[in-house]
């Protein structure tokens, strides 16, 4: 819902260099209608869909991520911002496919067995998609079989696992150990995340990387994919 | 006077005092950290450490009445480094039911309330999750849940009614399970080797 001050603001009258920061603010405030409007305006002005996505939406969400990390924003604000970004992405998605935006790789992601926390996982999925990855989201409460099946079927590059409970994080090791047993561990990049995890845990279970947040996940995935291509 | 201190999560204060009354215990002094910390578990280890260090000189032994609470083992490591004991288990829902019983049940799609959370549902669930201002978020939070399980520490008709109301607001079916104080009692029992030992001062 917009307050009085925002009612006075007519987005379409703003030049690009004011509209984009305004969209960052609107995203921060979770204003989905304004985000949809802003996306339409930029497209009408001839912006490439990929530029709208990265410069207006992804950049705005990156700012939200920083303030969440620093304790300035909490979960509901992040959810509202993510909802607004989703609205913008819904407009852009079909256009991105047509305009041949970069495809960086394919990610299979899901929350592990016993755990149904999915806010962080959904955010990572959305930001990875925004960065140009194809994302297959397996949802919550995933046993090892569903991860392995999806990796194979989807011909994925990256496996992402999320856990928010101390009791469910060890299950990530079960998945990685099963991959080792089947001789497929090195066929994939394995990224893990969730608030109770840390770098040490990621190393101990044999993941390629632990990622603190969605922005780090995107950067890390890009790095691994670049390395993978250099090896080919 | 006692020379034993228990540092507890504020969400356990009422329960710990009740356990003491029931058992006639007065072998330790109680200090609590704000219950709100459970929404930011990464801040718990530092907060506990600060209180331990502040009280080290005044007390002979200190016990930490926290389970892991989502610190991913960091609180346990910190307590070990400080040379203080803490409660076993992942969180209070598990130790009230009994850690083993809770694990054996393997319940995944249930959301738990304790007496504390039933009493403070608005302040500790509804409002921090933003549901007062943005009720449309309910589906994003609880869409994958089926049941609200009220793990009751006491026989309290009014609290049970509150827990039931919470289930209705969340759109979940309701189940009440009487647990009493579960593993929290043995964790504080002076007969137990890892519990806060009585040190008369
Ligand atoms: C919101 C929340 C809930 C919501 C979940 C809604 C949902 N749809 O997910 C509700 C209220 C329903 C809930 C329920 C429960 N919760 Co809860 N919950 C939280 C809370 C407050 C925030 C989690 C969150 O969403 N954060 C926001 C997102 C954006 O952050 P994030 O998840 O960390 O994700 C970021 C990074 O970690 C990373 N990341 C995450 N996943 C991945 C994956 C990959 C591949 C990568 C690369 C990166 C990555 O990137 C993300 C974006 O930047 C935490 C406490 C906390 N502050 O962490 C407790 C917490 C995790 N919950 C906890 C508990 C105990 C429960 C319940 C058992 C409580 C109950 N009363 O029943 C149930 C769990 C039931 C179950 N079977 O899963 C405990 C866990 C304790 C423990 N020992 O493990 C915590 C720590 C709170 C506490 N201290 O008590 N919870």
């Amino acid at each position: 819902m917009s307050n009085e001050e925002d009612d006075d603001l007519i987005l379409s009258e703003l030049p690009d260099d004011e509209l984009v920061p305004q969209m960052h603010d609107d995203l921060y405030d979770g204003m989905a209608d304004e985000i949809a409007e802003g996306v339409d305006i930029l497209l009408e002005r001839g912006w490439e869909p990929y530029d709208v996505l990265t410069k207006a939406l992804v950049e705005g969400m990156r700012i939200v991520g920083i303030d969440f990390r620093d304790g300035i924003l909490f979960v509901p604000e992040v959810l509202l911002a993510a909802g607004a970004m989703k609205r913008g992405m819904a407009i852009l998605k079909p256009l991105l496919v047509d305009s041949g935006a970069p495809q960086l790789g394919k990610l299979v992601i899901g929350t592990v067995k016993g755990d149904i926390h999915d806010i962080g996982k959904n955010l990572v999925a959305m930001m990875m998609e925004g960065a140009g990855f194809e994302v297959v989201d397996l949802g919550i409460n995933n046993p090892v079989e569903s991860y392995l099946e999806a990796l194979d079927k989807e011909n994925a590059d990256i496996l992402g696992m999320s856990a928010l409970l101390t009791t469910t994080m060890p299950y990530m090791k079960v998945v990685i150990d099963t991959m080792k047993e089947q001789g497929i561990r090195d066929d994939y990049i394995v990224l893990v995340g969730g608030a109770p995890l840390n770098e040490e845990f990621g190393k101990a279970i044999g993941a390629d990387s632990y990622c603190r947040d969605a922005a780090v996940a995107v950067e890390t995935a890009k790095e691994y994919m670049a390395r993978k291509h250099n090896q080919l | 006077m006692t020379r034993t201190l228990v540092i507890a999560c504020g969400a356990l204060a009422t329960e710990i005092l009740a356990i003491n009354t029931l058992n006639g215990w007065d072998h330790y002094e109680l200090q609590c950290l704000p219950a709100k910390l459970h929404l930011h578990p990464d801040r718990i280890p530092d907060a506990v450490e600060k209180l331990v260090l502040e009280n080290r000189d005044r007390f002979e032994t200190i016990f930490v009445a926290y389970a892991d609470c989502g610190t991913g083992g960091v609180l346990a490591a910190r307590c070990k480094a400080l040379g203080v004991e803490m409660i076993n288990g992942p969180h209070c829902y598990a130790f009230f039911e009994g850690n083993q019983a809770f694990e054996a049940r393997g319940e995944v799609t249930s959301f738990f309330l304790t007496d504390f959370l039933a009493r403070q549902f608005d302040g500790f669930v509804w409002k921090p999750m933003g549901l007062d201002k943005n009720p449309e978020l309910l589906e994003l939070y609880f869409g994958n849940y089926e049941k609200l399980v009220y793990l009751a520490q006491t026989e309290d008709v009014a609290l049970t009614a509150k827990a039931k109301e919470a289930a209705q607001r969340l759109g979940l079916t309701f189940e009440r399970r009487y647990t009493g104080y579960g593993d929290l009692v043995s964790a504080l029992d002076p007969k137990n080797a890892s519990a806060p030992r009585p040190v008369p001062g």
Side-chain angles (χ1 to χ4, degrees):
Chain A
M1 235 168 287
S2 53
N3 59 33
E4 256 174 63
E5 195 186 319
D6 292 314
D7 282 342
D8 295 340
L9 202 70
I10 297 169
L11 291 178
S12 58
E13 289 176 356
L14 295 178
D16 289 4
D17 62 342
E18 285 176 32
L19 177 58
V20 171
Q22 181 59 43
M23 285 176 73
H24 296 163
D25 286 353
D26 288 346
L27 197 78
Y28 195 95
D29 294 333
M31 291 157 71
D33 291 345
E34 285 73 2
I35 287 300
E37 195 188 335
V39 167
D40 284 336
I41 295 169
L42 289 175
L43 289 172
E44 270 164 35
R45 290 184 189 168
W47 278 50
E48 283 298 324
Y50 184 70
D51 285 339
V52 180
L53 178 67
T54 50
K55 291 178 185 152
L57 302 186
V58 172
E59 174 57 18
M61 213 51 207
R62 195 185 65 83
I63 301 168
V64 171
I66 291 172
D67 278 6
F68 175 68
R69 184 194 68 203
D70 295 344
I72 297 164
L73 297 179
F74 194 48
V75 183
E77 292 85 8
V78 174
L79 267 180
L80 290 168
M85 169 147 175
K86 219 170 169 184
R87 275 282 292 285
M89 274 180 79
I91 304 172
L92 294 170
K93 225 168 160 179
L95 307 174
L96 285 165
V97 178
D98 298 342
S99 64
Q103 271 300 329
L104 298 181
K106 198 167 189 180
L107 164 77
V108 162
I109 190 169
T111 303
V112 298
K113 190 172 150 184
D115 206 329
I116 64 176
H117 287 90
D118 63 0
I119 296 171
K121 183 264 297 165
N122 294 345
L123 200 63
V124 172
M126 190 173 77
M127 292 298 274
M128 289 288 286
E129 211 175 331
F133 286 87
E134 198 181 331
V135 176
V136 179
D137 187 344
L138 304 178
I140 51 167
N141 196 18
N142 283 288
V144 54
E145 297 79 24
S146 71
Y147 286 117
L148 298 191
E149 207 185 293
L151 285 174
D152 183 47
K153 192 177 119 215
E154 301 290 345
N155 198 11
D157 305 290
I158 308 173
L159 169 63
M161 291 187 278
S162 180
L164 266 288
L165 297 169
T166 331
T167 45
T168 57
M169 49 193 256
Y171 193 77
M172 295 177 169
K173 183 164 187 303
V174 174
V175 177
I176 293 174
D177 286 350
T178 311
M179 292 170 82
K180 282 183 188 157
E181 272 162 33
Q182 301 191 357
I184 57 167
R185 167 64 187 89
D186 294 335
D187 299 347
Y188 305 98
I189 297 155
V190 179
L191 304 182
V192 296
L197 279 66
N198 55 41
E199 194 115 24
E200 205 184 325
F201 175 81
K203 274 208 190 93
I205 62 168
D208 288 297
S209 272
Y210 152 79
C211 305
R212 190 186 59 206
D213 58 29
V216 175
V218 167
E219 286 318 308
T220 310
K222 278 184 182 166
E223 264 168 43
Y224 277 109
M225 287 311 292
R227 250 188 259 170
K228 194 171 165 181
H229 285 141
N230 289 340
Q231 279 167 7
L232 294 178
Chain B
M1 261 300 274
T2 169
R3 303 250 301 140
T4 305
L5 174 68
V6 170
I7 294 173
C9 166
L12 301 175
T14 308
E15 286 64 33
I16 290 178
L17 293 175
I19 291 171
N20 289 350
T21 307
L22 284 172
N23 292 283
W25 289 344
D26 61 356
H27 59 286
Y28 54 81
E29 199 173 287
L30 180 65
Q31 280 188 32
C32 289
L33 284 163
K36 279 262 150 74
L37 279 176
H38 99 123
L39 292 171
H40 302 278
D42 52 321
R43 300 177 193 167
I44 295 174
D46 285 350
V48 166
E49 175 168 345
K50 187 164 173 276
L51 219 51
V52 169
L53 295 179
E54 277 171 16
N55 285 286
R56 240 192 187 148
D57 294 344
R58 281 207 304 129
F59 293 92
E60 179 76 24
T61 87
I62 297 178
F63 179 85
V64 173
Y66 266 95
D68 176 78
C69 201
T71 64
V74 173
L75 182 58
R78 196 69 69 85
C79 284
K80 198 168 173 213
L82 289 165
V84 297
E85 297 281 350
M86 65 183 276
I87 302 178
N88 263 330
H91 40 61
C92 56
Y93 316 103
F95 69 61
F96 277 138
E97 175 148 29
N99 283 324
Q100 276 182 357
F102 186 90
E103 197 187 331
R105 228 183 252 278
E107 220 165 1
V108 177
T109 55
S110 296
F111 182 68
F112 301 99
L113 292 188
T114 56
D115 279 10
F116 174 84
L117 279 182
R119 225 180 282 127
Q120 308 277 352
F121 180 74
D122 275 309
F124 279 81
V125 182
W126 199 254
K127 282 187 191 142
M129 292 303 130
L131 291 166
D132 51 339
K133 295 196 188 105
N134 301 96
E136 76 276 13
L137 296 180
L138 189 62
E139 175 63 22
L140 291 176
Y141 285 117
F142 288 96
N144 292 318
Y145 288 79
E146 287 162 3
K147 192 160 66 170
L148 181 147
V149 177
Y150 169 36
L151 303 169
Q153 280 69 66
T154 55
E155 297 290 357
D156 184 326
V157 179
L159 262 191
T160 301
K162 284 197 97 170
K164 208 178 228 169
E165 191 207 313
Q168 267 163 12
R169 287 163 74 188
L170 296 177
L172 304 175
T173 58
F174 178 73
E175 183 183 325
R176 181 181 185 276
R177 230 176 259 164
Y178 177 78
T179 67
Y181 299 106
D183 291 351
L184 184 58
V185 183
S186 54
L188 297 170
D189 189 337
K191 290 199 289 292
N192 182 341
S194 61
R197 279 177 295 115
V199 183

